[in-house]
Amino acid sequence: MGAQQVRERFTELYGAEPEGVWAAPGRVNLIGEHTDYNDGFVMPFALPHRVTAAVSRRADGVLRLHSADAPGPVVELALDALAPGSDPDWTAYPAGVVWGLREAGHAITGADIHLSSTVPTGAGLSSSAALEVVVALALNDLYDLGLQRWQLARLCQRAENVYVGAPTGIMDQTASACCEDGHALFLDTRDLSQRQIPFDLAAEGLRLLVVDTQVKHAHSGGEYGKRRAGCEKGAALLGVDALRDIPYADLDAALARLGDEEEVVRLVRHVVTEDQRVERVVSLLHAGETRAIGPVLTEGHASLRDDFRISCPELDLVVDTALANGALGARMTGGGFGGSAIVLTETTDVDTLTKALEEAFTTAGFTAPRVFEAVPAAGARRVG
């Protein structure tokens, strides 16, 4: 839905015009997977796909929520009753943001919210972060809270970690809140410093395809949390605050110190090499060597598959098929255990690659993938 349609539906639901309409995008992570909760480097960019929200304030301590994408009537919640773990449904994400704002001392007295999303859910494209950020930005504007974009991202992360119970890092929310049109965001997740890196693939005759495998994933599942706990164990064993503090040049020595902790060794190796891959991609893009990032993306997939062990047959099939049909590079993107992969390709090869991917999935007996081009878009903003 466009902003006007969301506005009109809000009016139908709540009997009055909304005070405004906001939008926040999903994201693709170009490189830097599972590094954000290790204080490392990431490089996402925002997608044109977005969550749109029409919002008005209330003064009676009530939060009313409705989504065009979830069946059912308007959900009504009392602000004073909001508590972590109390809501297993989609409403936990916007409710968690309201809870987080109030916990931080902001006088939120209620809201009516209608939402509509074009971000595929469960595809590793941060639909939940977009949902959180659009609500946070709308309430920040309506209640004149004066919070900066990075502060909104931090608050949304806390809502997802504490209220929803998903142990995600800061990347997704920062990407949704802070990305710029035509750029990838080089983010240091330790201090939240940012650099916008020009990323205009079309001008160089290139395309980045997103291949949604249709295999759903969930961050609140136990495997994601196990990886994070394993990384924290590795940092503790190595005597550092976070794995970000292990220099790439010292990786072999660090792994030797871990002894027979095989699982921790694999996790540490991925994180340290992935941070180095992010820095390599930044350097290559600055040097105008965009095609050369392809092999770095592919290295990242091998690390996620073999060391972090969060790929799946469908994701591996995307990467293998893409590379066998002329792609410059490919890797899974997002939290893993399903979701999407990205493929860097020459523009002239897009049709051939898409057909090859569809045929490979049919042959393997998998659900047909959804393939679309990823174009760097603007971050969250008011749209009406």
Side-chain angles (χ1 to χ4, degrees):
M1 285 190 184
Q4 185 57 35
Q5 290 172 294
V6 174
R7 172 181 287 275
E8 291 171 357
R9 182 62 175 134
F10 179 100
T11 304
E12 292 173 6
L13 288 164
Y14 298 119
E17 287 268 329
E19 292 185 82
V21 182
W22 289 259
R27 65 97 188 96
V28 161
N29 191 24
L30 182 63
I31 192 74
E33 220 65 78
H34 288 269
T35 50
D36 57 348
Y37 55 79
N38 290 290
D39 282 2
F41 304 122
V42 295
M43 199 173 184
F45 62 86
L47 288 168
H49 307 72
R50 62 190 189 175
V51 176
T52 305
V55 186
S56 287
R57 290 168 290 181
R58 297 178 65 92
D60 59 357
V62 171
L63 174 64
R64 294 198 293 181
L65 300 166
H66 185 269
S67 171
D69 310 292
V74 171
V75 176
E76 185 170 311
L77 302 169
L79 297 190
D80 289 342
L82 298 181
S86 63
D87 187 352
D89 208 350
W90 68 268
T91 51
Y93 295 96
V97 171
V98 175
W99 169 85
L101 285 167
R102 284 164 55 87
E103 282 285 298
H106 301 292
I108 306 298
T109 57
D112 286 339
I113 301 174
H114 171 61
L115 299 144
S116 179
S117 177
T118 59
V119 184
T121 58
L125 303 176
S126 297
S127 57
S128 60
L131 175 53
E132 294 155 359
V133 168
V134 74
V135 171
L137 181 61
L139 296 177
N140 185 54
D141 288 354
L142 288 175
Y143 281 95
D144 197 23
L145 302 180
L147 296 172
Q148 300 297 308
R149 293 300 182 98
W150 68 268
Q151 292 174 303
L152 294 177
R154 272 283 189 228
L155 187 139
C156 290
Q157 182 204 11
R158 184 167 187 269
E160 188 152 349
N161 290 172
V162 179
Y163 196 92
V164 179
T168 55
I170 190 65
M171 173 181 67
D172 296 349
Q173 293 84 1
T174 305
S176 187
C178 300
C179 279
E180 294 182 4
D181 188 33
H183 291 74
L185 177 67
F186 178 37
L187 173 67
D188 182 334
T189 65
R190 170 163 282 170
D191 62 11
L192 297 190
S193 59
Q194 304 175 17
R195 285 163 55 196
Q196 300 287 345
I197 310 295
F199 194 57
D200 185 359
L201 294 177
E204 300 188 52
L206 297 171
R207 293 290 188 273
L208 190 74
L209 302 180
V210 175
V211 185
D212 177 3
T213 65
Q214 308 285 348
V215 178
K216 303 300 183 184
H217 78 149
H219 274 169
S220 54
E223 291 301 317
Y224 186 99
K226 288 179 184 177
R227 301 306 189 280
R228 181 165 185 164
C231 290
E232 291 168 352
K233 179 179 179 180
L237 290 171
L238 293 168
V240 294
D241 291 336
L243 295 183
R244 148 56 174 292
D245 296 314
I246 305 298
Y248 178 74
D250 297 343
L251 176 58
D252 288 344
L255 297 181
R257 288 167 54 199
L258 292 171
D260 59 359
E261 293 276 358
E262 179 187 351
E263 182 179 3
V264 176
V265 165
R266 289 190 286 99
L267 298 178
V268 171
R269 181 166 52 220
H270 166 72
V271 172
V272 176
T273 58
E274 186 79 347
D275 274 334
Q276 194 252 3
R277 281 186 283 272
V278 178
E279 293 184 294
R280 284 164 62 194
V281 167
V282 172
S283 296
L284 288 167
L285 291 176
H286 273 310
E289 299 179 26
T290 306
R291 284 172 173 79
I293 74 172
V296 186
L297 303 184
T298 305
E299 286 176 29
H301 182 77
S303 183
L304 290 162
R305 180 192 65 210
D306 301 336
D307 276 344
F308 230 68
R309 299 187 181 181
I310 58 170
S311 189
C312 67
E314 291 86 349
L315 289 168
D316 293 339
L317 182 61
V318 172
V319 173
D320 293 343
T321 302
L323 296 175
N325 285 272
L328 298 171
R331 74 171 191 90
M332 57 156 287
T333 187
F337 313 107
S340 299
I342 55 174
V343 178
L344 181 67
T345 179
E346 303 286 350
T347 300
T348 52
D349 292 337
V350 167
D351 291 343
T352 300
L353 271 171
T354 301
K355 183 179 179 182
L357 289 165
E358 292 169 347
E359 290 177 349
F361 269 60
T362 298
T363 300
F366 296 150
T367 300
R370 177 179 180 226
V371 183
F372 60 92
E373 182 182 354
V375 180
R381 62 201 186 279
R382 185 166 183 163
V383 295

